[in-house]
Amino acid sequence: MTITDTHTHLYSEAFDEDRDEMIKRALDAGVSRFFIPAIDSSYSKGMLDLEKKYPENIFLMSGLHPTHVKENYKEELAFVEEELSRRRYYAVGEIGIDLYWDKSTLGIQQEAFRQQIRLAKQHKLPIVIHCREAFEKVFEVLESEKGENLYGIFHCFTGTLKQAQQALSYNMKLGIGGVVTFKNGKIDRFLKEIPLSEIVLETDAPYLAPSPYRGKRNESLYVKNVLEKVAGIYHISEEKIAEITTQNSKDIFSV
Ligand SMILES: [Zn+2]
């Protein structure tokens, strides 16, 4: 069984003490494809080092995370642009809008989001969207940028069925993570109405650990807990869900 974690911050300082053991635990359990979203240029070296060490398993994205859109965002966007021209990345991400941490930067977050969508189109890459308390604003940008060359993943999807359907209408697949296992996570109630061809699995490690690890450090191995829950919701075997969602990840990232 090959399981794909489409969103994991393996370079995070949360793993500095035991990164290789943590990755080995995942690999031993069949979690062997890791898609690594960027945050800002300061994490670039850590990401490239990981790729060097696990070239068969690690697939990097380039992008500026919305909570890191600050005064220097133009320099950061120039860095993303340079990286995308310099070598292969598998997506532009994670990008989007976050109004939970800081509402005052909304204007430049929208600007950075739009510019990065255009970079993705230019390089024929998918986008990986981060959206927190900002569905309306994210949809506004997607509405004005939609088209055949816009596609990707709505990472850590936590909205309603209606919002899910709107996300799908922009060629986005839904990234399903730990929230699906939470008692009050809500998405487990309607997920079955979303065709399996439209979802991928993720952890967002080290954040958002699924139950029974909720509140603790998350790691890629725990994508198995997400897999188990999703298999229960669709009444389909874990093997089949792993196969379908891995294929979906191949379709999106072309690898
Ligand atoms: Zn993330």
Side-chain angles (χ1 to χ4, degrees):
M1 180 158 65
T2 298
I3 307 170
T4 302
D5 186 353
T6 58
H7 196 109
T8 179
H9 299 268
L10 295 180
Y11 53 84
S12 162
E13 40 285 269
F15 301 120
D16 281 354
E17 303 293 312
D18 63 345
R19 182 169 292 102
D20 290 316
E21 291 92 313
M22 182 268 299
I23 292 173
K24 186 170 187 306
R25 280 196 286 278
L27 289 172
D28 288 348
V31 185
S32 55
R33 288 161 46 84
F34 308 100
F35 288 84
I36 315 289
I39 292 179
D40 67 20
S41 60
S42 70
Y43 293 96
S44 180
K45 181 168 185 311
M47 293 171 68
L48 294 167
D49 287 349
L50 262 175
E51 181 193 55
K52 210 173 270 169
K53 203 156 186 187
Y54 303 94
E56 306 287 308
N57 311 97
I58 295 275
F59 307 99
L60 303 182
M61 308 179 200
S62 180
L64 177 61
H65 191 293
T67 61
H68 288 244
V69 175
K70 308 257 161 75
E71 307 73 43
N72 69 340
Y73 81 98
K74 287 191 177 149
E75 287 159 45
E76 284 289 335
L77 292 182
F79 177 78
V80 172
E81 192 169 359
E82 258 173 55
E83 283 300 294
L84 291 173
S85 330
R86 186 177 72 82
R87 46 152 287 155
R88 182 167 185 199
Y89 285 92
Y90 294 89
V92 176
E94 52 185 296
I95 64 176
I97 300 176
D98 187 313
L99 295 178
Y100 175 79
W101 291 107
D102 190 355
K103 288 185 180 65
S104 73
T105 56
L106 173 61
I108 55 175
Q109 286 192 51
Q110 285 167 309
E111 172 67 22
F113 185 29
R114 190 181 298 279
Q115 278 192 35
Q116 293 183 94
I117 288 176
R118 296 200 175 150
L119 283 175
K121 288 176 175 175
Q122 214 178 305
H123 292 271
K124 300 191 166 51
L125 289 173
I127 61 171
V128 171
I129 300 175
H130 170 109
C131 171
R132 191 155 183 202
E133 296 189 3
F135 272 108
E136 240 172 82
K137 299 292 178 196
V138 164
F139 285 149
E140 234 173 72
V141 176
L142 294 179
E143 182 61 37
S144 66
E145 294 291 334
K146 71 180 175 188
E148 242 172 68
N149 50 3
L150 177 68
Y151 68 106
I153 296 173
F154 221 98
H155 138 66
C156 186
F157 185 82
T158 52
T160 62
L161 175 59
K162 201 164 163 257
Q163 287 164 331
Q165 286 160 339
Q166 193 169 351
L168 299 188
S169 78
Y170 300 120
N171 290 330
M172 297 297 145
K173 298 209 189 289
L174 307 183
I176 304 300
V179 174
V180 78
T181 69
F182 295 172
K183 274 205 168 62
N184 54 354
K186 297 192 179 87
I187 55 167
D188 56 318
R189 291 184 214 158
F190 64 78
L191 192 58
K192 204 171 184 311
E193 295 180 50
I194 303 294
L196 265 175
S197 56
E198 304 301 326
I199 70 165
V200 290
L201 306 182
E202 63 168 63
T203 56
D204 202 17
Y207 314 105
L208 285 170
S211 68
Y213 310 106
R214 192 173 180 179
K216 304 211 171 82
R217 184 187 76 168
N218 198 2
E219 57 178 78
S220 275
L221 172 65
Y222 302 163
V223 76
K224 292 202 76 174
N225 298 76
V226 175
L227 171 66
E228 186 188 358
K229 177 74 186 191
V230 169
I233 291 171
Y234 285 93
H235 301 295
I236 294 177
S237 71
E238 291 182 29
E239 287 75 13
K240 194 72 193 161
I241 300 280
E243 184 190 321
I244 294 170
T245 53
T246 287
Q247 184 57 50
N248 294 345
S249 75
K250 290 180 179 172
D251 294 343
I252 298 168
F253 296 114
S254 302
V255 71

